[in-house]
Amino acid sequence: MIEFRGVTKQFPDGTLAVEGVDIVIPPHQTTVLVGSSGSGKTTLLRMINRMVDPTAGQVLIDGTDVATLDPVNLRRGIGYVMQNSGLLPHRKVIDNVATVPLLRGVSKRAAYAHALELLDTVGLDRSLADRYPSQLSGGQQQRVGVARGLAVDPNILLMDEPFGAVDPIVRAELQQELLRLQGELGKTVVFVTHDIDEAFLLGDQVVIMQQGGQISQAASPAEILAAPADAFVADFVGADRGKRALHLTDVGGRQVVVDADGRPAGVLSS
Amino acid sequence: MIEFRGVTKQFPDGTLAVEGVDIVIPPHQTTVLVGSSGSGKTTLLRMINRMVDPTAGQVLIDGTDVATLDPVNLRRGIGYVMQNSGLLPHRKVIDNVATVPLLRGVSKRAAYAHALELLDTVGLDRSLADRYPSQLSGGQQQRVGVARGLAVDPNILLMDEPFGAVDPIVRAELQQELLRLQGELGKTVVFVTHDIDEAFLLGDQVVIMQQGGQISQAASPAEILAAPADAFVADFVGADRGKRALHLTDVGGRQVVVDADGRPAGVLSS
Amino acid sequence: MTWLWSNLDLVGELIVVHLALSVPAIILSFVVSVPIGWLAHRYRWSRGVLLSLCGLLYAIPSVALLIALPVVTGQGVRSPLNLVVALTLYGIAVIVRTSADAFDSVERDIRQSATAIGYSEVGRFWGVELPLAGPVLLSGLRVVIVSTVSLATIGAVIGVQSLGSLFTDGFQRGIQAEVITGVVATIALALVLDALAVLGGRLLMPWTRSAIAIGRAGAGTPAKQARAA
Amino acid sequence: MNLLLDAIAWIVDPANWTGPGSIPLRIWEHLWVAALVLVIASAIALPIGMLIGHTGRGKQFAVMTSGGLRALPTLGALTLFGLWLGIGLPAPVIALVILAIPPLLAGAYAGFESVDRRTIDAARAVGMNEPQVVGKVELPLSLPIVVGGIRSASLQIIATAILAAYIADFGLGRPIFEGLRTRDYGEMLGASILVIILALVVDGAFALAQRLAVPAGVRANRTRELRSRPARPRAILGQPINEGNQQ
Amino acid sequence: GCASGDPLDSGSGDGDGASETIVIGSQEYYSNEIIAEIYAQALEENGVDVEREFRIGQREVYIPEIEDGSIDVFPEYTGNLLQFYVPDTTATTSDDVYAELEASLPEGLRVLDQSPATDQDSYNVTKEFSEANGVTSLADLANVTTPMTLGGNSELATRPYGPEGLKEVYGVEVAFTPIEDSGGPLTLKALEDGQVQLVNIYSANPAIASNELVTLEDPEGLFLASNVVPVVSEKVTDEIAEIINTVSAALTAEDLVALNALSVDEQQSADQIASDWLAEKALF
Ligand SMILES: Nc1ncnc2c1ncn2[C@@H]1O[C@H](COP(=O)(O)OP(=O)(O)OP(=O)(O)O)[C@@H](O)[C@H]1O
Ligand SMILES: Nc1ncnc2c1ncn2[C@@H]1O[C@H](COP(=O)(O)OP(=O)(O)OP(=O)(O)O)[C@@H](O)[C@H]1O
Ligand SMILES: [Mg+2]
Ligand SMILES: [Mg+2]
């Protein structure tokens, strides 16, 4: 369990990125932080592995204040996946995946063998192991990023817009893959996105943040949709734009679901 | 009316970006080209203003083959808006908007006066006229880009992922703005995106492209949803992922529309 | 110090002469290098050859160049023209690579957008590429300014007056104050010209000083985040 | 052209290829001094430049120092150090070290600065400590630019090392000065040609090294730069152009 | 030109002597500049229009300009100038050198009377070295057992009075270290630091006295005598030549050293040194 207690972060230049945040992130579930640009999602995420230290408040992992832990060691125990995959461009795929175990002193053989298994886990062909990241497609790179995040078998996996830079088809694939993986592994995943659809798809709990790093609502997707906490949330999830106000219409004998703007959202299955 | 007749483009390095494309783009409507990365959308779009010349086939505007027109003059008569707004960073907002009229020899006074009006049209405060592009937010930059595209009152407006780089809230705003504008102006808009939701929202006609620059389906959004032409289209619009296969469920007394994955899509208004 | 006070007018005079030698060379090398840099940028295949050749100009020993140049220019050895030509050649060696980089630094997107809205090739060069290459060109110019002003002192070796004359004369007469004055005056002159170039850059390229980007631009870039961590 | 023939005659004259002060000996001395200077200057400038590039602090300092050092006339520095240290190698070596520092410093900090911050950030996030970030990420990725700095420094050193002969019996500057003083322009020009050839060879070697220094993964990237841009770039506005000109 | 002094008297050509302006040049050498300045002021005193082209480098730079008539008067040194025209000359004494120089000057150039003042190559040792080894003349060097190194400009290595000449004429073997400052401070420092034992310094250099160096005698006439002598163009009338000759005659070797010392030790300008000297001598 990860807990934020009255966490505030003001950067040296005066920006108040996050203010007075309290959240409890339950274990073995996916919590998605969603909000528009600059709302402090990344800042909050990075406090967990001490890439950022709060200026006030505490971040606790299983009851231990992370401020008391050595940052380098802490990070080696937490998986981290970022938008552009964050792979080291001058290392081969296999070396990238094995980086952290090697840093932790695992033997080369064991690390490589495990890395190959991880490629299987994330659905990559082992033949890609000897390529450089730049020789992979964006989606493949993200998979390698996830594999690297899993390499030390962490309890916590932090993902900062991991699918933000891939195109929609690949993105949908990766989302499915993540759902499958999470079903198998049951990690505590903290996922950052600014795509509300993605948040609703992946999150057991969705945390909606608003500009200035405050939390508007933290609840399950259906709860948020059924009862948005305030106007900001309603706007953000699209309720007041008519995007979520659906009705049915008949096209060629099928029941097409259409939103208030007349834009089709899908087809009703009987 | 813009017409593609058997258009093929092979780049000097051998890439076959577009192959044997035939499309008719009706006037005063919005046609959206949608497809994943590398499917040739940009290539197709750029053939209209001769940024790219086809290796085979013809592109006709109102029956005239563009290959017979002088490219520089042609471009000055067609609005073009791109993802990163494409504004000239060393020119003030007002100069950016007035660039093309000035290139065409319109008097400075007239060009500036018109440029200020255009800022109103795209919903920007006139006080921003003297700023440099870097002093605007991403959304504001895109608006300036649109204003610039409209500056010569073109019949044709080409837009290449104009909202690809702004965050979802701003993006939704810009989409609404474009719908409003188009309602007023009735240009022939050719819009490129790889977001199918955006395509469905904006397009009167949606052209779905597949890798290798071929067209899978060109029809209205509802038609595509109701009857996808093939498996690729079905996959692309999400029909076979269950994203478009919706059903109803009750949350707190309201009818929530949920897709096959259990992800909520909206609330049914009675 | 007493030396300096009693020779202020001499130093002043030499500064003027020094400027008359170095400023034309600076301007010439800039004007010559920009098109070369553009060629190297535009035609990839020519890049290696052009840049290497120009870079190697630097390897020509100055004393030899100053003796050999008169044969080419047809001017007397002592003609300042030779020195200006020599300084220009060294300036070119310094700046050509930077000017190629400067044109490379213009984003492709912006170049394409300019084409798309109807700039002709020539119009695009003057209206878009050159100004946007400006900041990097300026950084190259600054290096040229500083190194040319410094290099102009070698004129003294062949009898062309400059601040370098203070080295040779001070050295012969064993007056350290004179040598130090020469060194300090050269550095000061270089830094003043450099500051003028920066100032000129600000005036000519107002957009570079206004990059107080709004929103997430800049502040939220990973660079800053990484550093803050 | 006559001069040129004289120069070639001097170079090929077998009498100049043996004995004390022979051409091979002068070349060897020249290279040796240049290498010494390069090593000393690198030992000073590279760590400082890397530190500045790594921390992002003190760039202003680096720009100012390079500017000031560049402006310091080598001839003036040489005479001053000569007056203080006497004849022999120390004075020219110090003067040349000063000459070599700006390009080395600039190469080092520009190289480190050029490494994508996101890559460094990721390296830190997976648990690399600072030395590991420097050694395993920044150094390999910045190597081409760092080597580029070394390359231009070495060119300047070789070209300017002829000044060593001003106060020391050393290098290819000797025949150049001797030729100048005795108006044997063939000798002077011949030696100059040798210096240019030497510079050419060393420059070529460093160009090769620079190419080899590009990490394999980064090189692979070059060939795939067909796509105009990443599918969905983020909104990063008004990016400054990273050159030595930022105030 | 620089250091040309008072701008007020540069245009004072009110005399009726010569209507044409006489251009006077000087080397990039403070001592030479002082002599040129003396010529200039002497001519000005006598109503001649003078233009100064001072500090114009070494012979290879200015000789062509004298030859093509852009410079009319230039203080030179007999021995060094002769060597310039006749590199393998064997003359050494003052008169021989002067005679041969007159004969070997190119068309259109001539030298006026030579001055008793000399500024010629000379070998010097420190006082300690001289006392420790009992050396006061070049011949004495043959008795020194410790190895010796000679310091001087690179061309010295190939001059007839260089290491070769020392060996031939006096039987003295020395190594050679080039120091390119013409017997300047670097040379002196090398001598003090013991990096060289023997240095070539021009005889008029005041450093010889101020550093208590011992100039070694040259009984066999190894060195080329080098007296101060003006080289002039055809534009120089007899009247003007007369004035310069008067100056030359008055300038002694000791004077030259003293004038140089004023420049080096008192850091006085050439202008001031010249006018003081002319005033003291009261020639005009
Ligand atoms: N190192 C920093 N120094 C100063 N301000 C910063 C720093 N990092 C972030 N900020 C600011 O803090 C705020 C929150 O930034 P953060 O990166 O957490 O937002 P985010 O929600 O992740 O946005 P995005 O969706 O664009 O990634 C922003 O205003 C940002 O500009
Ligand atoms: N100038 C070029 N030279 C070679 N190949 C090119 C060039 N421009 C585009 N291509 C290739 O042509 C294909 C289509 O490119 P295009 O840019 O039209 O795709 P797109 O659909 O716009 O993709 P995206 O959504 O990423 O913008 C791609 O494979 C691309 O790599
Ligand atoms: Mg973020
Ligand atoms: Mg595209």
Side-chain angles (χ1 to χ4, degrees):
Chain A
M1 193 176 74
I2 306 169
E3 214 182 327
F4 288 81
R5 282 198 196 147
V7 166
T8 294
K9 174 71 190 183
Q10 179 154 34
F11 283 104
D13 66 357
T15 319
L16 197 61
V18 163
E19 197 178 5
V21 163
D22 295 285
I23 331 175
V24 174
I25 293 174
H28 310 299
Q29 291 199 357
T30 302
T31 296
V32 178
L33 307 179
V34 64
S36 56
S37 248
S39 55
K41 308 178 295 293
T42 299
T43 306
L44 217 50
L45 187 79
R46 288 171 162 246
M47 286 177 181
I48 299 172
N49 68 351
R50 291 200 63 191
M51 292 288 286
V52 172
D53 283 323
T55 37
Q58 291 174 301
V59 179
L60 310 172
I61 297 182
D62 297 332
T64 313
D65 186 343
V66 294
T68 62
L69 303 173
D70 170 59
V72 170
N73 265 328
L74 176 70
R75 290 172 200 155
R76 287 183 187 173
I78 296 181
Y80 190 97
V81 184
M82 52 198 272
Q83 181 176 35
N84 52 25
S85 81
L87 299 178
L88 302 179
H90 59 300
R91 298 272 186 91
K92 293 183 176 163
V93 164
I94 188 82
D95 297 315
N96 263 291
V97 177
T99 305
V100 191
L102 288 175
L103 285 177
R104 284 180 119 188
V106 172
S107 83
K108 232 175 161 163
R109 266 190 63 181
Y112 279 13
H114 183 53
L116 283 174
E117 284 167 24
L118 281 168
L119 292 186
D120 302 342
T121 311
V122 298
L124 280 177
D125 198 286
R126 289 191 174 205
S127 68
L128 299 178
D130 276 341
R131 296 227 191 145
Y132 288 98
S134 57
Q135 296 169 312
L136 303 181
S137 73
Q140 289 169 328
Q141 290 187 22
Q142 285 312 127
R143 285 169 197 262
V144 177
V146 175
R148 184 175 66 171
L150 295 173
V152 287
D153 196 17
N155 294 319
I156 299 175
L157 190 57
L158 308 180
M159 307 181 88
D160 192 354
E161 301 190 41
F163 311 142
V166 290
D167 77 62
I169 293 199
V170 179
R171 186 168 183 156
E173 238 171 63
L174 289 170
Q175 288 167 345
Q176 295 304 325
E177 195 79 23
L178 183 65
L179 285 170
R180 176 185 67 73
L181 257 177
Q182 175 65 349
E184 280 172 25
L185 306 174
K187 305 280 181 199
T188 303
V189 176
V190 188
F191 191 105
V192 165
T193 180
H194 50 215
D195 179 348
I196 186 70
D197 292 337
E198 190 171 60
F200 281 0
L201 174 63
L202 300 175
D204 297 307
Q205 175 182 229
V206 172
V207 178
I208 296 184
M209 302 194 56
Q210 91 190 49
Q211 214 60 288
Q214 278 161 333
I215 291 182
S216 295
Q217 188 167 12
S220 77
E223 282 162 6
I224 291 177
L225 209 50
D230 54 27
F232 175 78
V233 174
D235 178 33
F236 193 80
V237 302
D240 72 344
R241 273 200 309 284
K243 184 184 160 193
R244 304 286 175 184
L246 307 173
H247 63 269
L248 303 176
T249 167
D250 192 279
V251 176
R254 300 189 68 178
Q255 288 277 85
V256 174
V257 179
V258 179
D259 71 15
D261 298 319
R263 157 199 185 189
V267 181
L268 203 66
S269 43
S270 49
Chain B
M1 193 176 73
I2 306 169
E3 213 181 328
F4 288 80
R5 283 200 196 145
V7 166
T8 294
K9 173 71 189 184
Q10 180 154 34
F11 283 104
D13 66 355
T15 319
L16 197 60
V18 163
E19 199 180 2
V21 164
D22 295 285
I23 331 175
V24 173
I25 294 173
H28 311 300
Q29 292 201 356
T30 302
T31 297
V32 178
L33 307 179
V34 65
S36 56
S37 249
S39 55
K41 307 179 295 293
T42 298
T43 307
L44 217 49
L45 187 79
R46 291 181 167 201
M47 285 177 182
I48 298 172
N49 68 352
R50 293 200 63 191
M51 296 279 287
V52 171
D53 284 322
T55 38
Q58 291 172 301
V59 180
L60 309 173
I61 297 182
D62 296 331
T64 313
D65 186 343
V66 294
T68 64
L69 303 173
D70 170 60
V72 169
N73 265 328
L74 177 70
R75 288 173 201 149
R76 290 185 185 170
I78 296 181
Y80 192 100
V81 184
M82 50 198 274
Q83 181 173 35
N84 294 314
S85 77
L87 297 179
L88 302 179
H90 61 302
R91 297 277 182 85
K92 294 183 177 165
V93 164
I94 188 83
D95 296 316
N96 263 291
V97 177
T99 306
V100 191
L102 289 175
L103 284 177
R104 284 181 119 186
V106 172
S107 83
K108 230 171 163 166
R109 266 189 66 180
Y112 280 10
H114 184 50
L116 283 174
E117 283 167 26
L118 281 168
L119 291 186
D120 302 341
T121 312
V122 298
L124 280 178
D125 199 287
R126 288 188 177 208
S127 68
L128 299 179
D130 276 340
R131 297 223 189 149
Y132 287 98
S134 61
Q135 296 171 311
L136 303 182
S137 73
Q140 290 170 327
Q141 290 188 18
Q142 285 312 130
R143 285 172 198 260
V144 178
V146 174
R148 185 176 66 171
L150 295 174
V152 288
D153 195 18
N155 293 319
I156 299 175
L157 190 57
L158 308 180
M159 308 182 87
D160 193 351
E161 298 190 40
F163 312 142
V166 288
D167 77 63
I169 292 196
V170 180
R171 187 170 183 154
E173 236 171 66
L174 290 171
Q175 287 167 345
Q176 295 303 326
E177 194 79 22
L178 183 64
L179 284 170
R180 177 184 68 72
L181 257 176
Q182 175 64 353
E184 281 170 24
L185 306 174
K187 305 279 180 197
T188 305
V189 175
V190 187
F191 191 106
V192 164
T193 180
H194 49 214
D195 179 347
I196 186 71
D197 293 336
E198 190 169 60
F200 281 181
L201 173 63
L202 300 176
D204 297 306
Q205 174 182 232
V206 171
V207 178
I208 297 183
M209 302 193 58
Q210 91 191 49
Q211 215 58 286
Q214 278 161 335
I215 292 181
S216 294
Q217 187 167 11
S220 76
E223 281 162 4
I224 292 177
L225 208 51
D230 56 26
F232 173 78
V233 175
D235 178 31
F236 193 81
V237 302
D240 71 343
R241 274 200 309 284
K243 182 184 161 195
R244 303 286 175 184
L246 307 173
H247 62 271
L248 304 175
T249 168
D250 192 280
V251 176
R254 302 187 65 179
Q255 288 276 85
V256 173
V257 180
V258 177
D259 72 13
D261 299 320
R263 156 201 183 187
V267 182
L268 203 67
S269 42
S270 50
Chain C
M1 277 305 100
T2 42
W3 181 87
L4 179 57
W5 294 131
S6 45
N7 289 274
L8 268 182
D9 52 344
L10 169 65
V11 176
E13 227 174 298
L14 287 181
I15 286 179
V16 174
V17 178
H18 202 95
L19 277 175
L21 285 174
S22 39
V23 171
I26 291 166
I27 293 173
L28 269 177
S29 48
F30 187 71
V31 168
V32 171
S33 304
V34 169
I36 300 181
W38 184 80
L39 282 179
H41 152 81
R42 184 65 212 274
Y43 304 101
R44 283 268 134 189
W45 51 267
S46 70
R47 190 184 175 89
V49 180
L50 279 179
L51 297 192
S52 303
L53 275 185
C54 291
L56 276 169
L57 287 176
Y58 209 97
I60 305 174
S62 43
V63 208
L65 183 61
L66 289 174
I67 298 293
L69 260 182
V71 182
V72 184
T73 63
Q75 298 285 316
V77 180
R78 205 161 59 85
S79 156
L81 186 77
N82 291 315
L83 193 62
V84 171
V85 171
L87 290 176
T88 304
L89 290 180
Y90 290 124
I92 291 173
V94 171
I95 197 187
V96 156
R97 182 173 298 273
T98 321
S99 71
D101 291 345
F103 288 107
D104 290 348
S105 78
V106 179
E107 276 172 52
R108 211 180 121 134
D109 263 3
I110 289 168
R111 207 174 283 137
Q112 289 196 337
S113 130
T115 311
I117 63 175
Y119 270 102
S120 60
E121 278 265 334
V122 180
R124 197 181 68 178
F125 175 81
W126 291 106
V128 180
E129 292 176 24
L130 192 61
L132 288 181
V136 183
L137 283 177
L138 176 64
S139 74
L141 179 65
R142 292 179 62 188
V143 175
V144 171
I145 286 175
V146 169
S147 62
T148 303
V149 169
S150 149
L151 207 57
T153 56
I154 56 159
V157 174
I158 54 159
V160 179
Q161 294 291 299
S162 71
L163 284 171
S165 308
L166 297 179
F167 305 160
T168 42
D169 188 63
F171 190 59
Q172 285 169 354
R173 293 163 68 188
I175 305 176
Q176 281 203 19
E178 190 177 353
V179 179
I180 292 172
T181 302
V183 170
V184 172
T186 309
I187 294 179
L189 192 62
L191 295 184
V192 167
L193 287 185
D194 179 54
L196 284 179
V198 172
L199 204 70
R202 291 208 183 163
L203 289 179
L204 285 173
M205 302 183 284
W207 70 94
T208 53
R209 62 190 140 119
S210 62
I212 345 150
I214 282 180
R216 76 185 310 276
T221 56
K224 276 204 179 171
Q225 294 171 355
R227 273 165 198 166
Chain D
M1 282 308 96
N2 225 346
L3 270 179
L4 202 60
L5 287 183
D6 288 349
I8 293 167
W10 180 82
I11 295 177
V12 297
D13 185 352
N16 292 327
W17 282 80
T18 50
S22 67
I23 289 174
L25 198 70
R26 290 299 180 207
I27 291 179
W28 165 244
E29 288 171 354
H30 205 88
L31 280 178
W32 183 86
V33 170
L36 178 73
V37 169
L38 191 62
V39 168
I40 297 175
S42 299
I44 297 169
L46 293 186
I48 297 178
M50 290 174 180
L51 195 73
I52 290 170
H54 176 74
T55 59
R57 257 169 238 150
K59 187 174 160 184
Q60 208 41 47
F61 162 83
V63 172
M64 289 289 293
T65 321
S66 315
L69 289 185
R70 261 195 192 111
L72 181 64
T74 308
L75 187 66
L78 184 72
T79 19
L80 272 185
F81 292 129
L83 282 180
W84 294 330
L85 301 174
I87 63 166
L89 278 182
V93 166
I94 294 178
L96 289 173
V97 164
I98 290 177
L99 177 82
I101 282 178
L104 289 170
L105 196 66
Y109 81 65
F112 266 53
E113 211 172 44
S114 75
V115 179
D116 192 334
R117 291 291 131 188
R118 291 171 300 185
T119 306
I120 296 170
D121 186 56
R124 245 181 229 129
V126 300
M128 286 195 184
N129 56 31
E130 292 311 293
Q132 284 165 336
V133 169
V134 173
K136 295 183 185 222
V137 181
E138 289 180 312
L139 198 57
L141 286 176
S142 65
L143 208 55
I145 299 180
V146 176
V147 172
I150 299 177
R151 178 180 166 189
S152 58
S154 70
L155 184 64
Q156 296 194 15
I157 295 171
I158 289 186
T160 319
I162 55 166
L163 286 184
Y166 196 65
I167 49 178
D169 186 5
F170 232 86
L172 284 165
R174 283 283 292 117
I176 290 178
F177 275 112
E178 199 173 83
L180 181 70
R181 289 287 158 88
T182 57
R183 288 188 303 138
D184 183 348
Y185 294 146
E187 176 178 10
M188 188 186 79
L189 217 60
S192 302
I193 291 173
L194 289 179
V195 173
I196 295 172
I197 294 175
L198 206 59
L200 203 96
V201 171
V202 172
D203 192 58
F206 273 110
L208 196 70
Q210 205 174 353
R211 201 157 294 176
L212 293 179
V214 180
V218 179
R219 204 170 328 145
N221 196 12
R222 295 257 158 93
T223 57
R224 287 180 89 256
E225 265 175 342
L226 295 172
R227 298 211 35 74
S228 48
R229 55 197 164 71
R232 271 193 161 186
R234 305 295 308 285
I236 293 172
L237 317 170
Q239 261 173 338
I241 295 160
N242 299 319
E243 265 302 314
N245 61 338
Q246 295 294 316
Q247 285 324 287
Chain E
C2 303
S4 54
D6 192 350
L8 289 178
D9 64 358
S10 62
S12 62
D14 51 342
D16 53 0
S19 54
E20 267 190 303
T21 306
I22 294 295
V23 182
I24 303 182
S26 96
Q27 294 179 348
E28 177 96 25
Y29 174 34
Y30 66 94
S31 172
N32 192 266
E33 188 188 339
I34 294 171
I35 302 172
E37 182 64 33
I38 291 175
Y39 292 166
Q41 291 186 15
L43 291 183
E44 280 167 351
E45 296 274 307
N46 290 280
V48 181
D49 271 349
V50 165
E51 191 185 314
R52 293 169 175 80
E53 283 282 350
F54 287 179
R55 295 173 168 228
I56 46 181
Q58 268 83 45
R59 253 169 223 108
E60 37 281 0
V61 179
Y62 64 73
I63 290 287
E65 299 191 31
I66 302 177
E67 286 176 357
D68 71 17
S70 12
I71 295 174
D72 302 311
V73 178
F74 205 107
E76 259 292 1
Y77 307 91
T78 53
N80 301 75
L81 188 60
L82 176 60
Q83 249 170 356
F84 183 84
Y85 285 113
V86 189
D88 45 5
T89 179
T90 50
T92 54
T93 67
S94 218
D95 293 340
D96 289 353
V97 170
Y98 186 74
E100 195 180 342
L101 178 62
E102 277 190 305
S104 33
L105 279 177
E107 194 78 23
L109 286 192
R110 64 189 169 115
V111 284
L112 303 182
D113 293 349
Q114 62 175 337
S115 158
T118 60
D119 199 359
Q120 65 189 41
D121 295 278
S122 74
Y123 286 163
N124 299 271
V125 297
T126 57
K127 198 169 163 212
E128 298 81 59
F129 184 90
S130 164
E131 281 165 4
N133 297 285
V135 175
T136 55
S137 124
L138 291 176
D140 298 336
L141 286 176
N143 306 325
V144 179
T145 49
T146 52
M148 286 177 294
T149 305
L150 169 66
N153 281 358
S154 23
E155 69 264 29
L156 184 59
T158 55
R159 294 285 190 229
Y161 48 86
E164 297 285 301
L166 266 183
K167 186 161 174 222
E168 259 167 48
V169 179
Y170 292 107
V172 177
E173 293 229 26
V174 293
F176 180 68
T177 289
I179 309 171
E180 306 287 350
D181 71 340
S182 311
L186 281 177
T187 312
L188 286 171
K189 183 156 169 48
L191 185 67
E192 272 169 31
D193 295 349
Q195 286 166 306
V196 295
Q197 287 71 40
L198 196 60
V199 292
N200 181 19
I201 297 181
Y202 288 123
S203 54
N205 191 331
I208 295 176
S210 58
N211 289 280
E212 302 196 318
L213 301 187
V214 177
T215 300
L216 301 183
E217 280 157 35
D218 178 20
E220 304 289 333
L222 177 66
F223 289 112
L224 205 60
S226 219
N227 293 60
V228 173
V229 70
V231 187
V232 301
S233 74
E234 276 165 345
K235 237 166 78 183
V236 172
T237 58
D238 289 346
E239 209 181 329
I240 293 172
E242 191 51 43
I243 301 168
I244 297 179
N245 281 338
T246 317
V247 171
S248 292
L251 185 68
T252 66
E254 293 72 30
D255 280 348
L256 190 55
V257 175
L259 296 181
N260 288 347
L262 284 176
S263 172
V264 171
D265 301 332
E266 308 297 323
Q267 305 190 355
Q268 290 183 6
S269 68
D271 178 26
Q272 188 187 351
I273 298 172
S275 57
D276 288 352
W277 183 80
L278 280 171
E280 179 199 322
K281 293 281 173 174
L283 292 177
F284 305 106

